[in-house]
Amino acid sequence: MTRSKKEVIQVAAARLFRDRGYTATSMRDLAEAVQLKASSLYNHISGKEEILKEICFETAERFLSAMEEIEKEKVSCTEKVKKLIQLHIQTATSDVTSITAFNDEWRHLSEPHLSEFKSIRKTYEERFKSIIQEGIETEEIQEGDPTVILYTIISSVRWLYDWYKPERNVSPEILKKGIVNILVTGIVK
Amino acid sequence: MTRSKKEVIQVAAARLFRDRGYTATSMRDLAEAVQLKASSLYNHISGKEEILKEICFETAERFLSAMEEIEKEKVSCTEKVKKLIQLHIQTATSDVTSITAFNDEWRHLSEPHLSEFKSIRKTYEERFKSIIQEGIETEEIQEGDPTVILYTIISSVRWLYDWYKPERNVSPEILKKGIVNILVTGIVK
DNA sequence: CCTACCGATCGGTAGG
DNA sequence: CCTACCGATCGGTAGG
C-alpha cells in the first residue's frame, strides 16, 4: 500500500499550514513541496480549501471517535478526563501537523463547512464537559465552572504542536505523565 | 487626550488580525475599518508589517515589565507563579486583541524583527522558568520538568482570547480564581 | 486625504 | 503532468 498522491499532497499541506498558516501558504509553495507545478495539483484535489476541509474534518472525526470509546469505558470520571488529556497529547505528538489546522486554521473554512465544523467541535466539547460535570456531581472533581475546566484542559496542551519534536528526546509518555499530573493534582505540594 | 489616528489604526488592525489572521487581513480591509482609503493609511504608518511589529513588541514589553515587578516582590515562588497566571489572564481579558498577535501572528514578522521578538519572548520564558525551578528546589512546587510546567501554564489561558467577551458576564476575577485553582491545586478533590 | 495606478502574486482554468 | 495564461487582489507609490 503506497500513499496516493493526494495523501502526499495533504501531508505536505498540513505541514505548510502549520509552519506558515493557511492563508500564507500558496498553491505554488505546496506544488514545490511535492515537486509538481501548481496547475498539476488540480488533478488530485479540487482546490485549496478542500485540503483544509479534509484535514479539519479528519482530525475532528478522530477526536469524536476516541470520545466514543472513552465514554463507553466503565471507569471513574477522573479516569475519563485523564484519558482525554492523554488523547490530546497523543494527537499533538503523533500528528503534529494536522492538529494545527484543527486548532487554528479551521476559521478559514467557508460556508457550509465552517458551520458544520463548528458544530462537530461543539459536540465534542459538550460531551467532554458532561464528563467533567458528572465528576463534579459525584464529588470526584473539585467544584468549579465546567466550561473553565474544559477549556483550560484543552488549551493546556496547545504548546505541544510547535514544541514537540522527536529530536528533543522527550517521549510522549513522559509528557502525558507530567501534564496529567499538573492538571489533575496541581503544581503545589 | 484623544487617540492619535495611528493608535486608532493599530487598535482596528489588532482586532482584524485576531478575527481573520494577519495574512488574511488586507490593507483595504483595515482602511475600511477606519473609514479611509488604503493609500491614506500610509500617512500614519509605514507599512503592514510595522503595525504587526508594534503590536507584538508592545505586548512583549508589557509582559516583561510585569515580570520585573513580580520578581521584585518578597513572596513565595508559588505566589509569584499565581501572579504570573493572573497576569496572563488579565492581559487576555483586558486586551483581547493584541494578545493574539503576541501568541500567533508574530511568526509573520520578517527579519530582523522576528529574531528580536523571539529573543524577548525567550527571555520572558526563561525568567518564568527560573521561578518555577526555584519553587521545585525549595520544595514548594511538585517535582516535574520546569519546561512542561511553564508551557502548560502559559498555554492553559490561550482559549480566553477568543472565548472571553464582556457580554458573557464572567468577570476576570472569577476566571482568575478558577484557572489559578486548577493549575495550582488540580482538578481532583 | 484622495484618485489613479504600479508590479507581483494569488487561486485556478484551458488545452494539449 | 506541463506551458501558457486568466481576472482578481495584494502591498504600496506618485502626484496632487
Side-chain angles (χ1 to χ4, degrees), chain A residues 22-142:
Chain A
Y22 174 74
T23 315
T25 301
S26 74
M27 294 305 271
R28 281 146 179 98
D29 294 334
L30 176 55
E32 200 181 356
V34 296
Q35 310 211 63
L36 240 44
K37 295 293 170 183
S39 57
S40 303
L41 292 170
Y42 294 87
N43 292 308
H44 304 98
I45 50 138
S46 71
K48 191 183 179 184
E49 192 179 328
E50 189 212 38
I51 305 174
L52 179 65
K53 190 193 79 187
E54 293 188 357
I55 294 171
C56 289
F57 282 84
E58 273 167 29
T59 311
E61 294 300 346
R62 212 178 319 144
F63 272 107
L64 217 48
S65 76
M67 172 64 83
E68 225 125 280
E69 288 306 310
I70 290 168
E71 283 171 333
K72 267 189 270 179
E73 294 187 27
K74 297 259 174 286
V75 293
S76 68
C77 293
T78 316
E79 208 51 50
K80 285 181 186 170
V81 169
K82 278 186 193 173
K83 292 201 177 214
L84 284 165
I85 298 169
Q86 283 164 359
L87 165 67
H88 281 254
I89 298 169
Q90 183 61 40
T91 312
T93 54
S94 67
D95 186 14
V96 228
T97 47
S98 36
I99 196 78
T100 317
F102 182 69
N103 276 331
D104 297 311
E105 305 297 339
W106 57 267
R107 62 178 165 167
H108 296 113
L109 291 169
S110 62
E111 296 296 356
H113 310 303
L114 182 61
S115 295
E116 203 197 325
F117 178 83
K118 281 180 173 173
S119 143
I120 296 179
R121 196 172 216 260
K122 179 101 184 156
T123 301
Y124 175 78
E125 290 173 354
E126 288 302 322
R127 287 161 74 169
F128 199 145
K129 208 193 287 184
S130 292
I131 294 173
I132 294 169
Q133 218 139 19
E134 201 192 315
I136 295 173
E137 278 158 26
T138 59
E139 295 187 325
E140 278 178 64
I141 291 176
Q142 278 199 48

Side-chain angles (χ1 to χ4, degrees), chain B residues 27 52 62 85 99 103 110 149 155 159-160:
Chain B
M27 294 305 272
L52 179 64
R62 212 180 318 144
I85 298 170
I99 197 78
N103 276 332
S110 62
I149 298 174
S155 292
W159 53 285
L160 288 175

Side-chain angles (χ1 to χ4, degrees), chain B residues 88-103:
Chain B
H88 281 254
I89 298 168
Q90 183 61 41
T91 312
T93 54
S94 67
D95 185 13
V96 228
T97 47
S98 34
I99 197 78
T100 316
F102 183 69
N103 276 332

